[in-house]
Amino acid sequence: QVQLVESGGDVVQAGGSLRLSCTASARPYSSHVMGWFRQAPGKEREFVAALRWGGGRTYYADSVKGRFSISRDSAMNTVYLEMNNLKFEDSAVYYCGRGSEPGSANIWGQGTQVTVSS
């Protein structure tokens, strides 16, 4: 069973930046989609961004377009989430997921906490 390990969560002031990393224990197939999701207390887990491993096409939630960027290092089986101009409402546990379509995943990492302070 492939494992996903996230890192990079931290406490940051509003307007600041963070980069999250997610490394897979096995190379994703070209058909796989690697995604980032987040869950704030009392809320449902929501889609943030995704990248199709084959071809590199990217997808974003409207709430993060223009501020967040997803990218990958294929040699390291790693996907990144660069988060800029962070807002208080971006505070959440961020999860990396692997699936077959943007917005869904069937393998999850353990999550990494992002806290944006005002």
Side-chain angles (χ1 to χ4, degrees), residues 38-88:
R38 65 188 181 187
Q39 187 168 19
K43 294 188 176 182
E44 297 286 321
R45 188 173 299 188
E46 65 175 3
F47 166 74
V48 175
L51 181 148
R52 189 171 293 280
W53 203 258
R57 183 174 178 180
T58 58
Y59 309 82
Y60 295 95
D62 288 343
S63 59
V64 306
K65 280 181 183 176
R67 300 188 299 122
F68 290 12
S69 178
I70 188 170
S71 62
R72 65 177 171 178
D73 182 335
S74 298
M76 298 295 291
N77 298 336
T78 298
V79 63
Y80 302 99
L81 184 68
E82 186 77 34
M83 305 185 292
N84 299 309
N85 191 21
L86 282 160
K87 303 176 181 180
F88 178 77

Side-chain angles (χ1 to χ4, degrees), residues 31-44:
S31 59
H32 284 142
V33 176
M34 299 295 294
W36 287 97
F37 302 76
R38 65 188 181 187
Q39 187 168 19
K43 294 188 176 182
E44 297 286 321

